[in-house]
């Protein structure tokens, strides 16, 4: 079998055929560094990571590029609010972002590219678009004329309304606002000291042109894979395609892969609902970052995933149990070809990681199987769960099972049983603390 991926552009699972045999150019939209990345954002970076690791597992050489959006509407506003320079402001969040990636065992991309370092590339791209008649100057900036680009909206399956002549300056807008969008925003007082004096005027780039310029700078005018979560299909990726293809006359990206959203029980994770969760929050509750990684791997990357503490607890139980069983496995220096083949098949089917996890579990549970240790090592190159590292076992799964049992007893007001279970956990060397967020457990 060969690798098949779901391509948003064609809305089909397609066989993956890179432009250059054996080599994959892959671009992922990186963070806008104006705040901490929440665990929803991090789900998407976990998806990028196992996509890259899967491609490497299948034998491809991957050149992975990720940008850092360090200038846009939100970063400028944020730095002004904190009364620090744009650079000081964005660097702080960038550092925290990479700490989070590291904690989640996400491999750093081969190239990390900052918008503020690529202004000349953006200006050159805009100049090209002006020359070819796709861009025009208005009083507040330079805009892309969507009427001029024949296939505008194809990625998002939208029908263009040719009668629209309005413009939109904001970086983010919704489908009802299919309008000419800003490539370059002329300087206004609100921008403070953030501007570049260039041939196309004093100002700053729009968000969409940033990714077109940065991806093509490293990967060339056409490349294989572009990723993000579903929210980026419109307008961001739609506009990236328009700008890039209008400028080069070539196909920009062959395969568009979009990850599903992480949502809360009550719906979207948003500041206004006060339900935004960061990695630091779940660590404070006693979870290990890789418990969260495990949780993400239990859902297909395109499916929505609902975050609840119960789901995370259940992921932690499985993950810790898995690690405990693996810690007893000896290395017989063989590999289990059948199991590895099944694992590969799951990956090749549009990265079916939940299925791949099941294959791992079957191998681990199979008492007669040979070559377990080396096969797990190979599988973990994709899963990234540090399965063979003993030091990441914090609290054994058996202890969590008792803690969960006690929680249930408490819910049922069975105080006697709850006390007995607490005592049992105590005797085994662990301590339970009841907090307003539920029971926390640690080694005494
Ligand atoms: P941003 O920093 O807002 O540009 O977002 C960074 C990445 O996170 C982008 O790829 C978004 O598509 C993605 N993203 C934003 N919210 C969520 C969410 N709730 N679940 C999954 N991915 C998300
Ligand atoms: Zn982008």
């Amino acid at each position: 079998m060969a690798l098949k991926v779901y391509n948003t552009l064609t809305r089909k699972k397609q066989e993956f055929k890179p432009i250059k045999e054996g080599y994959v150019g892959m671009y992922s939209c990186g963070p806008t560094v104006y705040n901490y990345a929440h665990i929803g954002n991090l789900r998407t970076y976990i998806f990028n990571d196992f996509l890259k690791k899967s491609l490497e597992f299948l034998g491809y050489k991957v050149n992975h590029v990720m940008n850092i959006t360090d200038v846009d509407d939100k970063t400028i506003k944020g730095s002004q609010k904190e009364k620090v320079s744009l650079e000081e402001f964005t660097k702080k969040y960038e550092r925290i972002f990479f700490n989070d990636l590291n904690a989640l065992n996400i491999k750093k991309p081969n190239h990390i590219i900052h918008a503020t370092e690529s202004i000349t590339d953006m200006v050159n791209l805009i100049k090209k678009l002006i020359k070819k008649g796709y861009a025009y100057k208005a009083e507040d900036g330079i805009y892309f004329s969507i009427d001029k680009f024949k296939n505008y909206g194809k990625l998002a399956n939208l029908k263009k309304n040719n009668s629209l002549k309005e413009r939109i300056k904001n970086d983010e807008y919704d489908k009802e606002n299919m309008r000419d969008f800003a490539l370059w925003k002329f300087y206004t007082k609100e921008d403070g000291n953030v501007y570049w004096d260039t041939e196309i005027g004093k100002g700053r780039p729009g968000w969409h042109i940033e990714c077109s310029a940065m991806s093509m700078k490293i990967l060339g005018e056409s490349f294989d894979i572009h990723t993000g979560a579903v929210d980026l299909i419109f307008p961001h990726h739609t506009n990236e395609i328009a700008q890039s293809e209008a400028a080069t006359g070539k196909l920009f990206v062959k395969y568009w892969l979009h990850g599903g959203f992480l949502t809360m029980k009550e719906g979207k994770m948003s500041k206004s609902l006060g339900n935004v969760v960061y990695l630091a929050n779940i660590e404070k509750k006693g979870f290990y970052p890789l418990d969260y990684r495990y949780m993400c791997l239990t859902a297909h990357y395109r499916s929505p995933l609902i975050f609840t503490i119960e789901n995370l607890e259940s992921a932690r139980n499985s993950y810790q149990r898995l690690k405990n069983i693996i810690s007893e496995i000896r290395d017989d220096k063989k590999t289990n070809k059948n199991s590895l083949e099944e694992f590969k098949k799951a990956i090749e089917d549009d990265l079916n990681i939940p299925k791949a996890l099941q294959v791992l579990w079957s191998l681990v549970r199979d008492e007669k199987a040979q070559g377990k240790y080396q096969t797990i090592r190979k599988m973990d190159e994709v899963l990234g769960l540090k399965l063979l590292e003993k030091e990441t076992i914090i609290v054994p799964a058996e202890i969590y099972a008792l803690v969960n049992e006690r929680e249930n007893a408490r819910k049922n007001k069975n105080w006697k049983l709850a006390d007995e279970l607490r005592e049992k956990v105590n005797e085994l060397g662990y301590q339970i603390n009841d907090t307003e967020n539920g029971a926390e457990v640690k080694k005494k």
Side-chain angles (χ1 to χ4, degrees):
M1 221 176 96
L3 172 65
K4 283 195 171 153
V5 289
Y6 183 87
N7 187 356
T8 308
L9 197 60
T10 54
R11 282 164 208 90
K12 276 196 210 96
K13 260 195 213 177
Q14 281 179 286
E15 190 174 326
F16 179 68
K17 289 190 189 143
I19 296 168
K20 193 170 140 203
E21 212 187 309
Y23 168 92
V24 181
M26 166 173 158
Y27 182 87
S28 302
C29 284
T32 306
V33 277
Y34 74 106
N35 200 343
Y36 306 105
H38 58 58
I39 58 169
N41 303 133
L42 293 173
R43 180 187 184 201
T44 296
Y45 298 110
I46 291 173
F47 150 56
N48 293 335
D49 188 55
F50 71 69
L51 168 60
K52 178 185 183 188
K53 287 173 173 162
S54 297
L55 290 162
E56 288 175 339
F57 176 85
L58 297 172
Y60 293 102
K61 187 164 177 5
V62 184
N63 189 11
H64 183 207
V65 180
M66 186 179 75
N67 72 295
I68 302 285
T69 300
D70 57 355
V71 56
D72 81 324
D73 300 348
K74 291 188 281 198
T75 44
I76 294 178
K77 258 197 208 117
S79 67
Q80 288 170 347
K81 211 165 146 199
E82 287 193 15
K83 296 195 169 52
V84 292
S85 71
L86 183 66
E87 191 180 356
E88 192 181 329
F89 179 77
T90 55
K91 284 285 177 232
K92 176 176 126 190
Y93 291 111
E94 185 179 329
R95 260 194 312 276
I96 298 167
F97 174 70
F98 283 113
N99 281 343
D100 284 354
L101 293 200
N102 193 37
L104 289 162
N105 199 22
I106 294 173
K107 209 165 154 183
K108 258 196 174 180
N110 307 73
H111 295 269
I112 290 153
I113 174 163
H114 295 81
T116 51
E117 292 160 359
S118 313
I119 302 292
T120 315
D121 304 277
M122 297 166 202
V123 169
N124 287 339
L125 192 56
I126 296 170
K127 273 167 59 186
K128 229 181 192 175
L129 290 170
I130 298 173
K131 203 164 154 210
K132 288 193 158 189
Y134 288 102
Y136 62 91
K137 206 169 171 176
E139 66 283 357
D140 58 352
I142 297 173
Y143 285 81
F144 186 91
S145 172
I146 63 170
D147 272 355
K148 296 264 162 59
F149 187 69
K150 203 168 95 239
N151 283 329
Y152 188 83
K154 184 166 176 255
L155 184 73
N157 211 7
L158 302 173
K159 293 264 169 301
K160 187 167 58 183
N161 181 345
N162 285 323
S163 63
L164 289 175
K165 281 280 166 274
E166 289 144 83
R167 290 188 290 273
I168 184 123
K169 195 180 179 194
N170 294 346
D171 283 331
E172 285 173 270
Y173 50 92
D174 53 30
K175 289 192 175 80
E176 284 66 49
N177 265 319
M178 225 200 317
R179 303 277 194 273
D180 290 355
F181 59 90
L183 299 166
W184 188 257
K185 305 180 185 198
F186 291 144
Y187 180 76
T188 64
K189 274 210 306 290
E190 285 77 55
D191 292 339
N193 58 4
V194 180
Y195 62 85
W196 284 264
D197 246 327
T198 73
E199 291 167 66
I200 54 171
K202 176 176 169 176
R204 61 183 174 96
W207 174 37
H208 316 297
I209 197 77
E210 294 187 0
C211 279
S212 281
M214 287 188 279
S215 58
M216 292 198 288
K217 178 178 179 176
I218 309 282
L219 295 170
E221 292 178 341
S222 297
F223 57 91
D224 302 295
I225 300 182
H226 197 311
T227 71
V230 281
D231 62 322
L232 297 189
I233 296 174
F234 185 88
H236 188 51
H237 290 164
T238 295
N239 292 352
E240 272 189 54
I241 292 175
Q243 298 158 154
S244 310
E245 297 190 354
T248 67
K250 294 181 188 155
L251 179 79
F252 175 43
V253 172
K254 263 188 108 172
Y255 304 92
W256 288 87
L257 270 62
H258 290 102
F261 249 41
L262 180 86
T263 57
M264 305 303 277
K265 253 205 272 185
E266 60 276 19
K268 223 183 139 159
M269 205 191 301
S270 79
K271 266 197 192 151
S272 56
L273 289 171
N275 63 357
V276 180
V277 181
Y278 302 103
L279 196 60
N281 299 132
I282 60 177
E283 283 184 279
K284 263 193 210 127
K285 288 192 177 141
F287 291 95
Y288 185 70
L290 293 187
D291 296 334
Y292 178 62
R293 182 174 176 110
Y294 187 96
M295 180 183 150
C296 290
L297 300 184
T298 60
H300 190 269
Y301 78 91
R302 283 192 285 120
S303 310
L305 176 62
I306 297 180
F307 178 82
T308 60
I309 286 294
E310 291 76 30
N311 285 352
L312 186 58
E313 259 165 9
S314 137
R316 168 170 69 185
N317 284 345
S318 305
Y319 177 48
Q320 294 286 328
R321 195 172 309 131
L322 182 64
K323 288 208 49 148
N324 275 286
I325 305 173
I326 290 174
S327 69
E328 305 288 324
I329 295 174
R330 278 182 313 108
D331 182 6
D332 60 7
K333 307 274 193 262
K334 296 179 191 157
T335 42
N336 191 309
K337 291 215 174 62
N338 285 346
S339 187
L340 210 52
E341 195 49 40
E342 255 192 88
F343 184 85
K344 184 168 164 247
K345 261 195 211 149
I347 302 283
E348 286 180 331
D349 182 15
D350 192 26
L351 308 166
N352 193 342
I353 302 281
K355 179 76 208 307
L357 260 187
Q358 274 173 23
V359 176
L360 167 69
W361 267 106
S362 308
L363 174 71
V364 164
R365 285 206 182 106
D366 182 349
E367 284 175 11
K368 292 201 199 84
Q370 295 208 328
K372 285 188 186 180
Y373 189 92
Q374 289 300 332
T375 309
I376 292 166
R377 191 182 56 73
K378 203 76 195 111
M379 291 175 175
D380 202 32
E381 285 173 14
V382 174
L383 303 172
L385 291 168
K386 299 194 178 179
L387 294 171
L388 298 172
E389 287 182 24
K390 294 199 168 87
E391 56 274 21
T392 52
I393 299 174
I394 315 168
V395 177
E398 285 70 21
I399 302 292
Y400 278 119
L402 293 172
V403 174
N404 289 347
E405 218 181 299
R406 175 176 168 271
E407 288 280 273
N408 281 336
R410 278 162 58 89
K411 266 187 211 142
N412 297 328
K413 300 206 172 11
N414 189 345
W415 309 117
K416 186 163 169 286
L417 178 61
D419 283 346
E420 280 168 17
L421 287 164
R422 174 197 277 273
E423 198 44 45
K424 204 162 166 190
V425 169
N426 228 339
E427 278 166 16
L428 292 168
Y430 293 84
Q431 186 186 330
I432 299 179
N433 288 326
D434 290 309
T435 71
E436 56 184 49
N437 297 318
E440 284 178 0
V441 55
K442 49 177 192 247
K443 215 169 164 59
K444 281 201 290 190

